[in-house]
Structures are given as C-alpha cells and as structure tokens.
Amino acid sequence: MIKTKKLVMIPGPTPVVRSIQDQMARETVAFGDAAFVRDFSEVLADLKEMWHCQGEVFVVAGSGTMGMEMAIANTTKRGDNVLVCSNGFFGDRFIDMCTRKGLNTDVLSAKWGTSVTPEEVEKKLAEKKYDVVTVTHVETSTGAAAPIAAIGEVMKKHPEIIYIVDGVAASGGVDENMEAMGIDVILTCTQKAFGVAPGLTMVWASPKAMKKRKSLGTIPESYIDFDKWLPVMHDPSKYWGTPAINLVWALKEAIRIMKEEGLEERYDRHIRQAAMVDSAMEALGFVVGAEKKYRAPTLSVYLYPEGSGIDDAKFRSILAEEGAQTAGCLGTFAGKGFRMGHMGNIDKHTLVSAIGAVERACVKSGYAVELGKALGVLQKGLVNE
Ligand SMILES: Cc1ncc(COP(=O)(O)O)c(C=O)c1O
C-alpha cells in the first residue's frame, strides 16, 4: 500500500489549501515594494471591516500567545485588577501572563466542557473594580465556546473596563463583531480558522483600547507595543520589525476565500459542519467532551467510548497512519480522548477522509465498530450541503 497522506486534523494548524500555499511559495520582495505595501494595506482594511473594528488592527509576526501578550501589554499597567474568565488550559494561560506582569489577577473558572457565564461575570464585577476582563472565545482544550456576546452585554454596563477576547480557535470560524458585542480587543492568529500556516498574529483594538494604550505612556515591552506598530499599520512602507511578507500574502488569499464564501455563510457552515462531525463520532460511541449548549463550531474533544479498551497514544498513532493527525487531550480530559479540528478551509473530501480514518483506526485498535456507520451519518449531512 502506498503511504497515506496525513491530514492535519489537530485544532490548528488546519489544512492549508493550494492557493494559500502558492502565496507562501512566491518570490519574496522588499517590504517597501509598492505592490506589497498595497497588499498589506488591503489586508488591514479588510480585517478592520470584517470584524467591525472602529479602532486599529495589528498584523505582526508571532504566534497566538504573542497576541495574548500584546493584548495585555497594551491595556494594563502593574497593579491593575484583571479578571480572567477561564474555561480550561488556554484561559489559564492568561493567569501566568498577568501575574508575571504584576497584575492583581482574579480567576473565574468553569468546569471543563462548560463556560463561565455572563451571570458569574456580572456578579464578580459588582464585587470589585476591574480594569480588564479576559475571555477565551473557544477553549481549545475542551471544545467549549464562551458566550462572548452575552458577556459583552454585561461589559457594556461597565464601560471603564477593557474587554479582551482570545479568538485564536474561533476567529474566522465563529461570529465575532467588536461593535455589536462590545469587545475592546480581539486577538487571533493565522493557523486556525483562517487556514494559513502559523506565523502571524492579528490583534484588533477598539478606540477605547487605543485610548487606554495612550494613557499608559511608555510601556516596558517593545516589539509588541501598539505605539511602535501603529505607523506601520497606517502605512506599511514604514519600518518597525520586518513583516512576514509571504504570510501577509497568504493571509490576503485567506481573506479573499472568506469573502468569496461570505462570513455569515462561513460561520453557518462551521456550525453545520461541527454538528455533522459530532454526530458521526457519536454514532461510533464517542462522547463529545463539551456540554451540548457550549459545543464549539471549530473543534471538538472526542472521549473514548466506555469499555472500548482503546489505548490513547496507540489509537492516535494508528489514526495518524490511517491519514488523520489529531491532538491528545489536556488537563481533565488527558488520556481519555482526542481533539480534532473541523475548522477553516476544509471541504467534503477532507471530512469524509478524516472520519473514514477514524473508523479504520477504531477497528485496527480492537474497537470493533461497523465500518461506514459514522461515514453514513456524515454523508447524510454532506449530501445537503
Ligand atoms: C484559545 C487559544 N489561545 C491561545 C493559543 C496559543 O496560540 P499559539 O500556540 O499560536 O501561541 C492557542 C493555541 O492553540 C489557543 O487555542
């Protein structure tokens, strides 16, 4: 048998389509090249418009974690009070980041597979004066989505607080509207629902967030300082740090694909796609890790069926050989299941292949499922697409 192609079904990086790969393979030009400057400006204008941002957008080389740090660095000063709403591993990442910066950090934690609620946030904000609230839109360790719009309604009653949303595993796959949802900073990166290789972080900042940045004066950070990048974002022929030229082109192509599909349709497709994949996996006896009302449209935790005798590491290695790379679980779910992305520019072929690989991996792991059972469920959904 010839070697099976491995699909990247981890929750990011996600599969990169040919037209985006082609942009990354282009001959690199000077960052001052007039055509590149135009391309970069268009990317920035599109991102601002698509996320309903009245302030500024920053596109900087770095991973999602840098975006988190950029959001915190530009909106807080030592001694500020921060409320971290954490639904798992990546929500918790803000705790260490904020503590290191000398921020007074309180945490609202949700049971794994669920989310912090607007009511809990409201209660906490009534008890103490906070400067910043962070929420992780889709928690990648659990596959749970936070109700960012409903939390935004609470935040609107506290206009003095900066509302930060980590959109790493959501942006481009789940609805985010800064204006309507009252969000001050959204951060994300290229390798998830945008379907580009890793390497760029995108940070949107509302006028209120920019005002807060101004009030801070000189901040200790340099590379991630909004002030340093702002002249470049207004005129990309200017220099602060060398832009990742080929990734900016790749991002431009990703945005073109998004606009062609239409953002609303893209968000709807992710919801439909997630429901289909979840149902297919349930048909094999797997249990979705997130509670139904919190299930994210972009990725899922699939817990092994009780009594299946599946060995986690062995199963995922067989699954990779069968053609689908998936990720192990973290924290509470560690060893009990795997995480699979179903976001970005994935098509019917990819979904069918991934679920087919899961079925074969089950059988090869000694969990005797009926081949075609999950595929049948998936196909019934896909035929209506
Ligand atoms: C929700 C969330 N936030 C932050 C990060 C960190 O992003 P990166 O690994 O690109 O630094 C991740 C990574 O998966 C994530 O899922």
Side-chain angles (χ1 to χ4, degrees), residues 111-167:
K111 184 173 146 241
W112 276 49
T114 70
S115 172
V116 166
T117 64
E119 293 75 23
E120 287 170 316
V121 175
E122 184 149 37
K123 186 162 172 278
K124 205 79 186 159
L125 298 189
E127 285 168 13
K128 186 169 162 181
K129 237 175 107 15
Y130 285 98
D131 299 288
V132 167
V133 170
T134 74
V135 176
T136 306
H137 191 176
V138 169
E139 174 51 64
T140 319
S141 59
T142 68
I148 58 161
I151 294 174
E153 289 307 312
V154 175
M155 298 306 300
K156 285 177 192 170
K157 296 183 209 161
H158 298 268
E160 72 288 358
I161 306 176
I162 299 286
Y163 180 24
I164 296 177
V165 172
D166 172 348

Side-chain angles (χ1 to χ4, degrees), residues 96-341:
D96 175 59
M97 204 174 266
C98 292
T99 309
R100 280 165 181 248
K101 206 178 144 59
L103 307 174
N104 302 315
T105 311
D106 292 343
V107 186
L108 264 178
S109 290
K111 184 173 146 241
W112 276 49
T114 70
S115 172
V116 166
T117 64
E119 293 75 23
E120 287 170 316
V121 175
E122 184 149 37
K123 186 162 172 278
K124 205 79 186 159
L125 298 189
E127 285 168 13
K128 186 169 162 181
K129 237 175 107 15
Y130 285 98
D131 299 288
V132 167
V133 170
T134 74
V135 176
T136 306
H137 191 176
V138 169
E139 174 51 64
T140 319
S141 59
T142 68
I148 58 161
I151 294 174
E153 289 307 312
V154 175
M155 298 306 300
K156 285 177 192 170
K157 296 183 209 161
H158 298 268
E160 72 288 358
I161 306 176
I162 299 286
Y163 180 24
I164 296 177
V165 172
D166 172 348
V168 167
S171 306
V174 194
D175 189 14
E176 288 172 341
N177 180 328
M178 287 186 79
E179 258 193 309
M181 298 177 181
I183 301 168
D184 295 301
V185 182
I186 298 187
L187 61 108
T188 193
C189 48
T190 37
Q191 77 270 21
K192 307 258 184 191
F194 277 76
V196 177
L200 287 180
T201 189
M202 292 88 92
V203 181
W204 292 260
S206 70
K208 190 171 106 195
M210 293 309 295
K211 207 167 144 203
K212 181 77 192 276
R213 167 65 197 89
K214 202 162 179 208
S215 76
L216 299 174
T218 303
I219 60 169
E221 297 79 3
S222 158
Y223 180 68
I224 56 171
D225 184 356
F226 282 175
D227 263 9
K228 299 281 192 191
W229 284 109
L230 200 56
V232 183
M233 298 302 129
H234 287 171
D235 173 7
S237 70
K238 297 215 167 105
Y239 171 77
W240 165 233
T242 307
I245 293 160
N246 291 66
L247 282 172
V248 171
W249 277 330
L251 177 57
K252 185 167 192 287
E253 172 60 9
I255 291 170
R256 188 199 63 75
I257 292 170
M258 281 180 183
K259 284 165 80 172
E260 186 176 79
E261 184 177 16
L263 264 189
E264 291 311 311
E265 166 53 19
R266 191 173 175 90
Y267 297 147
D268 284 350
R269 167 175 63 84
H270 276 78
I271 292 169
R272 298 193 303 271
Q273 203 161 269
M276 277 182 243
V277 179
D278 285 353
S279 302
M281 292 297 295
E282 283 171 335
L284 297 179
F286 284 79
V287 175
V288 180
E291 276 182 19
K292 202 153 195 164
K293 73 186 247 209
Y294 294 114
R295 285 184 190 178
T298 46
L299 76 115
S300 300
V301 162
Y302 296 119
L303 301 170
Y304 300 122
E306 224 165 283
S308 64
I310 290 176
D311 173 86
D312 175 40
K314 225 152 87 190
F315 177 81
R316 282 186 291 111
S317 137
I318 295 171
L319 181 52
E321 276 165 33
E322 287 304 315
Q325 292 181 316
T326 55
C329 283
L330 302 162
T332 310
F333 294 138
K336 297 179 189 158
F338 68 92
R339 293 178 300 141
M340 190 160 112

